[in-house]
Amino acid sequence: MSVRRTAPTNLLTTTIDKAARWAQSRSMFPATFGLACCAIEMMATGAAHYDLARFGMEVFRASPRQADLMIVAGRVSQKMAPVLRQVYDQMPDPKWVISMGACASTGGMFNNYALVQGVDQVVPVDIYVPGCPPGPQSLMHGILTLHDNIMAGKA
Amino acid sequence: MSGLGAFLRGLRVTGKVMVNTVFGDGLVTTKYPQEFRQKPQRFHGRHVLNRYPDGMEKCIGCELCAGACPARCIYVRGRDNPSDEPVSPGERYGYVYEINMLRCIFCGLCVEACPTEAITMTHLFEISTANRRDAIYTRQELLMRPDGSVPHMFPDDPLAQLAELDTADGWLRATAPSGVAAYEGVQAWQGTPGPASWAPEPTQDERDA
């Protein structure tokens, strides 16, 4: 994923690595993956009042091949899990996943046979956003935390 | 030619909105990390465990919140108060108190169920984490300090808004027994952040005015 893993550490590669991380965090294209009510808040985050375009993220890509970030917004049913994994596998590296809301993160109040109890059983999750649903500002806090983690090389 | 006219008519609306946004008062965007939208008074955010003004804990470890929780995200264990150094005024106190914020749906039923108003909610909503362990809040993070301040999970986070922890969810106040003469001028309910931070119940004259 990073240049540093394949090249010896020196001034040039670390600078390129930093520049690459900066570029990655400043223009992330989220994949459209709204599954339930959280998707309404995700759409509100992209709309004018909160405006994800300020972070270069306004294009919710319908094709996973053009996306770096998957915001799993809503409860994931057992039947949706393979689809979710397929969308994730189709995304090019480097890629990140935000688990938005209680249902995606842990199943929330739906502790039953129909739902996956935490989307991290299917894909690796970078940021968990608590809330039911998390408001646009909560989601943006998660996104900004992810940006910070990428800049720090932690994600 | 009519096609071009329709095209220009549509563009005129676009242009008008654009000019109003850039030069007029049409800009509605709140630039989140720098500025905040006002949350409604009854917004449900992160929980806090309260203390009485004398520093005693309000939680008596009855586990009613855990029973009321529809998501089963609260874990409480009660224990008898040590007789020489009681933690709460009751017979027992909650010596384990954990809330899984990732499972919590912020419905406020725990607040409703609590007989001593020990658990209330604040306006803090920035609790995103990179790992699941940080989302489990224990007594250490939930319980307010004896001086009335509320601990933040990540106080060094540049996005941490400590003031939100001092804003109480308004649910308790909405059900305060306003109108009963005996409550006039009395602090009917203690606010979330520390003792005596909410205004007392209004007097009859103030209500009539």
Side-chain angles (χ1 to χ4, degrees):
Chain A
M1 187 189 292
S2 71
V3 181
R4 197 182 290 163
R5 285 192 198 154
T6 51
T9 308
N10 61 38
L11 184 66
L12 181 67
T13 48
T14 50
T15 311
I16 290 176
D17 200 27
K18 213 178 274 178
R21 289 202 297 250
W22 176 81
Q24 284 161 2
S25 64
R26 288 310 184 267
S27 157
M28 269 183 178
F29 287 7
T32 312
F33 215 90
L35 295 170
C37 30
C38 278
I40 304 293
E41 300 292 328
M42 185 175 72
M43 286 184 268
T45 315
H49 276 93
Y50 297 98
D51 202 9
L52 269 184
R54 293 182 291 125
F55 310 114
M57 303 180 62
E58 75 276 22
V59 248
F60 279 85
R61 281 294 166 194
S63 164
R65 290 173 204 86
Q66 299 166 352
D68 340 86
L69 171 67
M70 185 157 72
I71 303 176
V72 184
R75 74 282 178 282
V76 182
S77 62
Q78 300 281 1
K79 285 197 168 186
M80 197 66 189
V83 182
L84 183 108
R85 181 69 213 194
Q86 192 175 358
V87 169
Y88 178 79
D89 285 340
Q90 282 176 324
M91 283 161 56
D93 270 334
K95 53 192 170 184
W96 298 275
V97 178
I98 289 181
S99 169
M100 179 182 180
C103 298
S105 304
T106 59
M109 63 183 291
F110 304 116
N111 189 1
N112 59 31
Y113 64 88
L115 293 192
V116 176
Q117 299 294 306
V119 76
D120 49 4
Q121 295 175 11
V122 187
V123 292
V125 175
D126 292 293
I127 295 288
Y128 300 88
V129 184
C132 187
Q137 291 182 342
S138 303
L139 177 60
M140 263 194 274
H141 177 256
I143 288 170
L144 291 171
T145 311
L146 178 61
H147 287 180
D148 287 351
N149 285 0
I150 291 170
M151 286 300 282
K154 285 191 282 188
Chain B
M1 204 57 204
S2 66
L4 185 66
F7 177 67
L8 288 177
R9 263 203 306 283
L11 263 188
R12 203 180 61 187
V13 177
T14 309
K16 233 194 287 187
V17 171
M18 194 177 79
V19 168
N20 188 29
T21 305
V22 177
F23 300 106
D25 56 355
L27 186 66
V28 291
T29 306
T30 319
K31 298 183 178 64
Y32 161 62
Q34 291 88 32
E35 48 189 81
F36 287 83
R37 288 198 113 192
Q38 190 64 40
K39 290 280 178 192
Q41 166 77 67
R42 298 194 198 177
F43 177 77
H44 287 175
R46 207 207 89 174
H47 309 75
V48 63
L49 284 173
N50 293 309
R51 284 177 193 271
Y52 287 106
D54 63 358
M56 292 276 238
E57 287 175 23
K58 285 189 171 184
C59 180
I60 52 171
C62 67
E63 304 182 21
L64 279 178
C65 46
C69 181
R72 295 276 180 270
C73 69
I74 305 181
Y75 176 66
V76 192
R77 291 296 300 278
R79 177 194 266 172
D80 284 348
N81 264 317
S83 51
D84 50 338
E85 205 179 335
V87 183
S88 77
E91 195 178 317
R92 287 151 70 78
Y93 74 104
Y95 81 104
V96 174
Y97 204 106
E98 290 177 5
I99 299 181
N100 185 352
M101 286 296 166
L102 279 179
R103 208 171 258 282
C104 175
I105 60 167
F106 300 91
C107 59
L109 286 182
C110 49
V111 181
E112 249 175 275
C114 185
T116 59
E117 297 122 43
I119 185 163
T120 52
M121 289 170 132
T122 67
H123 278 200
L124 185 81
F125 59 88
E126 287 126 331
I127 41 179
S128 308
T129 57
N131 64 67
R132 308 178 67 100
R133 193 172 294 272
D134 288 346
I136 295 173
Y137 282 57
T138 60
R139 255 172 76 86
Q140 208 180 346
E141 287 91 27
L142 290 168
L143 191 67
M144 69 161 55
R145 300 190 192 94
D147 64 352
S149 61
V150 183
H152 194 283
M153 191 74 153
F154 303 106
D156 301 329
D157 184 352
L159 297 168
Q161 293 293 319
L162 299 175
E164 281 166 351
L165 283 170
D166 296 338
T167 317
D169 149 40
W171 183 87
L172 283 174
R173 174 169 241 196
T175 57
S178 185
V180 178
Y183 278 92
E184 280 183 2
V186 174
Q187 186 112 35
W189 303 86
Q190 186 192 323
T192 303
S197 56
W198 285 0
E201 289 290 303
T203 63
Q204 196 71 51
D205 294 338
E206 283 168 351
R207 271 200 303 277
D208 292 344

